[in-house]
Amino acid sequence: MNKITKILCVAVLSVWILQIQPVYAASFKDVTSENVLATEIDYLVERGIIKGYPNGMFKPNDYVTKAQVAVMLTRALGLKTTNVKNPKYLDVPTTHIYFKEIAATQNAGIFDATKKFKPDGTLSRGEMAIVLQRAFKLKGSNSYQFTDVTEKTIGYKEILAIANNNITRGYQDGSFKPNLPLTRAHFSAFMARALTLSKVNLLKDPAYVYTYAFYSPDKDMRYTLNYQYSHNDNKNDVWTVTNRSTQEPFNDELLYGDDTVYGQAIAADFSTHYDLFIELPLRIGVIVHEDDDGPVNGNRITVKMTDGTVRAGGVNYKNVAILEETFIYSDVVKTYYFVDGIGLVKELHDEEVIYELLKRSKN
């Protein structure tokens, strides 16, 4: 093989490798996969909404500037940057490198028409709430008890809106810190959550009988199980579970859900809590942290996707909510796949399929 041929082969191989290798936040020198906000940053990187710096850095702890926010929102929302109306900010001439993006976001009503835009200025957490509420038309006004947020706080209604949509939970001491400047990592996380917000219904549909393939790792046995709605016990939907081949009963399944939470449990005498309990609506990122207070702790639940795909029982499902659960005291990784209006269609423990929905039949 001559030298030119070798060079061409290497070049083709390099292009092929680049094509099959996804771009992740971990590709930034200063963002590791252990970063609690890595899922959100990954999401934006994969979609070309954030690109980092030429030296391979993301600078997650630097304060985000208003110009950077305008650029990210323009990309995320697909705003048009042609024929934009000049907002006539005194500090953003038409020659400004980000004039089009700043104008586009102002034209869209995300930023106010003021004398100065302050493109290199920081964005506070309260201002972030205002910007995201306007950009994504977020709704929700239920009271949320932040210790440092009152009706007199600038952005009060918008802060309630992002809190009601599970985009922020504030700090462990109960504060929101509305005047604190935002870092690049934190604004990226908040925006990615707003972009992936999903009001998915995770409950099983009582109008159907569900048939699952079930593998019990403890017994190393496989079953075909029928799940049939029985009744509501004034709190939970109770589903009767039976072995389809022997009619042997298994423990009932309890499902609880409304607009704000979802829980599932196996009905057994020793059960004192839900095996899976999460806040709604869903959005990507960590939604349960191992350091959170509660009856059960030591686990982390991360929403990896709200618009994923999965194949179960020969059916290809779209717009799947994919949740990953890890534990401090165990190496097992659980992955749940939920479909709106259907419920759980698949569950993995590491790479082993534990539950797989085979079919649903009208009751």
Side-chain angles (χ1 to χ4, degrees):
M1 185 181 292
N2 61 42
K3 186 175 182 180
I4 294 177
T5 304
K6 287 181 179 179
I7 292 172
L8 287 173
C9 287
V10 170
V12 171
L13 180 61
S14 298
V15 170
W16 179 73
I17 291 173
L18 287 171
Q19 287 175 336
I20 65 172
Q21 292 296 324
V23 178
Y24 292 114
S27 64
F28 292 127
K29 297 175 183 177
D30 52 356
V31 180
T32 70
S33 59
E34 300 301 315
N35 190 307
V36 73
L37 304 178
T39 299
E40 293 96 318
I41 296 173
D42 279 345
Y43 179 88
L44 299 182
V45 171
E46 291 165 13
R47 286 154 183 79
I49 296 171
I50 56 176
K51 300 178 181 179
Y53 292 88
N55 62 358
M57 307 287 277
F58 180 64
K59 300 183 181 179
N61 298 320
D62 281 6
Y63 291 138
V64 71
T65 68
K66 291 183 67 177
Q68 291 169 345
V69 168
V71 171
M72 287 190 278
L73 285 172
T74 297
R75 292 171 181 166
L77 299 172
L79 300 179
K80 293 183 179 180
T81 55
T82 55
N83 300 320
V84 291
K85 182 180 178 182
N86 189 346
K88 297 182 179 179
Y89 292 125
L90 296 178
D91 52 358
V92 185
T94 56
T95 54
H96 192 282
I97 186 173
Y98 298 128
F99 167 78
K100 291 182 178 180
E101 290 85 352
I102 292 170
T105 49
Q106 189 278 332
N107 293 175
I110 298 171
F111 288 108
D112 292 328
T114 57
K115 288 185 177 181
K116 290 187 176 182
F117 181 71
K118 300 179 182 178
D120 298 321
T122 59
L123 194 77
S124 72
R125 288 169 58 85
E127 290 169 332
M128 171 274 297
I130 294 172
V131 164
L132 292 185
Q133 190 280 325
R134 291 175 178 176
F136 297 98
K137 308 296 189 291
L138 300 173
K139 296 180 180 180
S141 56
N142 292 336
S143 179
Y144 204 97
Q145 298 302 318
F146 291 121
T147 58
D148 55 353
V149 175
T150 70
E151 293 184 6
K152 295 181 179 179
T153 303
I154 296 175
Y156 170 72
K157 292 182 179 179
E158 292 84 354
I159 292 170
L160 289 186
I162 66 168
N164 276 266
N165 283 284
N166 201 21
I167 292 171
T168 182
R169 295 190 301 172
Y171 290 84
Q172 287 189 331
D173 63 1
S175 66
F176 178 72
K177 302 188 188 333
N179 298 319
L180 188 70
L182 269 181
T183 64
R184 285 167 52 82
H186 278 102
F187 180 78
S188 297
F190 290 133
M191 187 173 69
R193 294 169 191 172
L195 272 167
T196 58
L197 198 63
S198 175
K199 297 186 177 181
V200 59
N201 175 15
L202 304 183
L203 293 170
K204 289 183 174 66
D205 187 339
Y208 290 84
V209 175
Y210 286 64
T211 302
Y212 285 94
F214 169 59
Y215 170 64
S216 171
D218 295 335
K219 297 180 179 180
D220 192 23
M221 293 191 62
R222 299 185 182 278
Y223 304 87
T224 301
L225 303 180
N226 272 357
Y227 283 64
Q228 185 163 13
Y229 177 76
S230 173
H231 64 283
N232 187 284
D233 64 3
N234 294 321
K235 181 178 182 181
N236 305 289
D237 286 348
V238 180
W239 288 75
T240 300
V241 185
T242 56
N243 185 330
R244 190 174 177 182
S245 59
T246 66
Q247 300 307 307
E248 172 193 2
F250 280 59
N251 288 319
D252 291 344
E253 180 182 61
L254 307 179
L255 298 181
Y256 174 74
D258 56 27
D259 291 338
T260 60
V261 294
Y262 168 81
Q264 65 182 44
I266 296 173
D269 292 338
F270 56 83
S271 292
T272 59
H273 56 79
Y274 292 99
D275 302 304
L276 182 67
F277 192 82
I278 55 178
E279 293 182 351
L280 300 175
L282 290 182
R283 45 71 174 177
I284 65 168
V286 175
I287 57 173
V288 174
H289 193 275
E290 56 267 25
D291 294 332
D292 289 345
D293 294 329
V296 180
N297 54 26
N299 66 319
R300 177 183 292 193
I301 300 176
T302 305
V303 180
K304 306 299 288 187
M305 300 186 76
T306 57
D307 59 351
T309 60
V310 70
R311 184 173 177 82
V315 178
N316 293 321
Y317 294 98
K318 297 180 180 180
N319 298 319
V320 180
I322 304 175
L323 283 65
E324 181 182 275
E325 186 174 22
T326 58
F327 306 86
I328 291 178
Y329 308 109
S330 170
D331 292 333
V332 67
V333 178
K334 295 183 180 181
T335 308
Y336 306 91
Y337 300 84
F338 287 93
V339 176
D340 183 34
I342 296 177
L344 183 71
V345 298
K346 204 167 193 176
E347 179 180 333
L348 306 182
H349 292 187
D350 294 328
E351 299 299 319
E352 186 77 51
V353 178
I354 301 299
Y355 286 97
E356 182 172 7
L357 180 62
L358 300 179
K359 67 175 184 178
R360 295 193 311 156
S361 306
K362 271 286 188 180
N363 226 337

